[in-house]
Amino acid sequence: MNKHADKRNDNTRKKTYKGRLAAALVFVIVTIVLEVVYFTYHIPDNRNNIIQAYKDNQAQTVQLLADTLKGMDEDEMADFISHSVPVSGSTWGFLVKNDGVVYMKDEDTTRSLEYISTIDEFDSYMESLGGVVSENEISGSEYTCGIFADTDYVLEKYGVYSMEFYIIIALTATILVFGCILIEFAGRVGHEGRKVIALQTDLAERNEKFDEYERLTDQYEEELRNRDIDKTEMKREGYFDMDIVDTLLRKSSDPELYPIVFMYIRIRMGDRYFSRDAIFRIMDFIKGSMGKNHITAEISKGYFVVIMYKTDADTAEKKKAEILEKWGEFSKGSELEAVLRSVAPGENPRQVFYHEKDRLIDLTNWQ
């Protein structure tokens, strides 16, 4: 029943996440559309304002040009315009009268426009060019002078295209960044429930693992307490069954159990004889000083080990100091020694255990 409920909750969270993600995408798309609409209406308006400002300035220049040309004959006026008005593919000056073009841009262009014989034809021609045209009649004559400027030239000169490009790039980047943040936020909120479920599942698995280790340890101690040991068996190193300890060590490579520290303990018995009950009392003493994640076992007569799961070196040192301090009150006349060995990342806990066990048991003085 609970599994079905969890599945329904998980499906609900997935739908919620997808809904938030869809809402974020719709928001980004709508924002982009609004920006496109805005620029569709306002960019032409801005361009018209720039062109009108340029035309006003150009009209003033043409007015000054007309005043200067006043009183000159036709050849003088054409010569003055050719030398005073800049000529390029985008801007030039012109001089016309009622019966045609007197001068435009340069001599070649002027000759090519000899077919224009009326002002109406000239106006139609200038309209076809589509640029910014400013003209002014020369007082006291039948002539009209003017200046032409290409629209693209005007917009490029005032940096309109560059400005529009950078504005569009900046707004697009802002929208994308904001959209990514919104999508990330929606994802985090949508995943929050699943993270909680995953954490609960992870904790449950860890608890099950530690419960398994505790069951194995309890079984191990129960077998020791109920087992009949003969004298010949007691003379052998490791006379207690090490199969369960070895099973624990084989399972100790799980990253969730790290950090791992082994605490090797030796009781200097001297000439004293320790009965089986005394050995178990020592084990109970050691185990009582340890935590829930610590497994206590005897590896040889008078030699013990504590497998300290999820325990860092500092905590292990404190436990070592604690057990040494309590030992003096627990047992008088015998000395207890303890050595710590941390399992470094990448090391095999089982190999570390057996290597240190064999090394320490052979030493007279522990190091």
Side-chain angles (χ1 to χ4, degrees):
M1 188 70 177
N2 291 333
K3 290 182 178 179
H4 292 300
D6 291 339
K7 188 174 181 180
R8 285 196 299 270
N9 292 334
D10 189 53
N11 290 335
T12 301
R13 292 188 182 94
K14 287 181 179 179
K15 291 179 180 178
T16 302
Y17 168 69
K18 290 180 180 179
R20 287 172 177 156
L21 182 60
L25 291 175
V26 169
F27 173 81
V28 172
I29 292 173
V30 169
T31 305
I32 293 174
V33 170
L34 291 176
E35 291 296 337
V36 171
V37 172
Y38 174 83
F39 278 103
T40 300
Y41 282 97
H42 288 275
I43 283 181
D45 186 57
N46 180 65
R47 291 183 178 183
N48 290 335
N49 292 335
I50 295 294
I51 291 172
Q52 185 59 49
Y54 183 86
K55 187 173 184 179
D56 293 341
N57 183 65
Q58 184 173 265
Q60 294 177 10
T61 302
V62 172
Q63 178 65 51
L64 293 174
L65 179 62
D67 293 341
T68 304
L69 296 176
K70 182 179 178 181
M72 295 183 183
D73 61 30
E74 185 176 289
D75 291 338
E76 290 175 335
M77 287 188 288
D79 185 66
F80 184 84
I81 291 173
S82 66
H83 288 87
S84 61
V85 178
V87 178
S88 68
S90 301
T91 181
W92 64 81
F94 61 86
L95 178 68
V96 296
K97 62 180 180 178
N98 294 334
D99 59 355
V101 178
V102 177
Y103 176 81
M104 179 175 286
K105 191 176 181 179
D106 52 37
E107 293 182 359
D108 292 336
T109 305
T110 302
R111 281 194 297 269
S112 68
L113 297 177
E114 289 180 351
Y115 68 90
I116 296 177
S117 59
T118 64
I119 290 297
D120 291 338
E121 291 179 354
F122 174 77
D123 290 340
S124 297
Y125 173 76
M126 296 302 289
E127 258 182 55
S128 68
L129 297 179
V132 181
V133 180
S134 300
E135 55 186 23
N136 200 299
E137 293 182 358
I138 301 173
S139 178
S141 70
E142 58 180 341
Y143 296 95
T144 299
C145 65
I147 297 176
F148 169 87
D150 184 70
T151 303
D152 290 335
Y153 163 77
V154 174
L155 296 176
E156 184 68 29
K157 179 179 180 180
Y158 286 91
V160 175
Y161 291 145
S162 298
M163 179 186 67
E164 291 175 356
F165 174 77
Y166 288 122
I167 289 176
I168 292 173
I169 290 296
L171 287 174
T172 302
T174 302
I175 291 171
L176 291 176
V177 170
F178 183 74
C180 291
I181 292 174
L182 192 60
I183 293 171
E184 178 66 17
F185 175 75
R188 287 175 182 251
V189 173
H191 284 160
E192 194 63 30
R194 277 179 285 180
K195 286 182 180 179
V196 172
I197 293 175
L199 180 59
Q200 291 175 343
T201 304
D202 184 56
L203 291 175
E205 291 178 354
R206 292 186 182 187
N207 290 335
E208 288 178 1
K209 288 178 182 179
F210 285 123
D211 289 341
E212 180 183 357
Y213 295 139
E214 288 185 350
R215 286 195 299 271
L216 289 172
T217 306
D218 293 340
Q219 177 185 351
Y220 170 62
E221 292 183 355
E222 187 65 23
E223 288 180 1
L224 292 182
R225 294 181 188 278
N226 297 330
R227 182 178 175 187
D228 293 329
I229 304 172
D230 58 29
K231 293 182 180 180
T232 58
E233 188 178 12
M234 292 179 64
K235 292 179 181 178
R236 298 200 311 269
E237 177 185 342
Y239 64 90
F240 289 126
D241 188 358
M242 293 292 292
D243 290 342
I244 296 178
V245 175
D246 192 69
T247 300
L248 291 174
L249 292 171
R250 290 180 185 276
K251 295 183 177 182
S252 296
S253 296
D254 190 337
E256 295 179 355
L257 300 177
Y258 280 71
I260 300 175
V261 179
F262 294 127
M263 181 187 294
Y264 295 92
I265 299 173
R266 178 173 70 166
I267 308 297
R268 286 183 176 270
M269 297 181 293
D271 296 333
R272 297 179 58 186
Y273 171 76
F274 281 74
S275 65
R276 185 171 61 174
D277 288 338
I279 294 295
F280 283 125
R281 283 198 300 273
I282 294 173
M283 290 180 64
D284 290 339
F285 164 77
I286 296 172
K287 185 176 180 181
S289 302
M290 297 296 126
K292 180 181 179 182
N293 301 336
H294 302 158
I295 307 300
T296 304
E298 185 180 15
I299 56 178
S300 181
K301 186 70 171 180
Y303 291 83
F304 306 88
V305 68
V306 181
I307 306 174
M308 310 177 79
Y309 295 115
K310 296 186 70 65
T311 304
D312 56 37
D314 292 338
T315 303
E317 286 289 350
K318 292 178 182 178
K319 286 294 181 182
K320 174 184 172 182
E322 180 182 337
I323 196 173
L324 291 174
E325 181 180 355
K326 291 181 178 179
W327 177 255
E329 301 175 0
F330 174 78
S331 177
K332 297 181 179 179
S334 59
E335 184 181 352
L336 181 145
E337 295 175 304
V339 173
L340 297 176
R341 173 63 162 87
S342 298
V343 180
E347 287 187 313
N348 186 311
R350 184 170 177 270
Q351 292 178 356
V352 172
F353 169 79
Y354 283 111
H355 176 269
E356 292 299 307
K357 166 184 167 293
D358 296 339
R359 185 181 72 84
L360 291 172
I361 287 179
D362 288 342
L363 292 178
T364 303
N365 295 315
W366 281 21
Q367 299 178 357

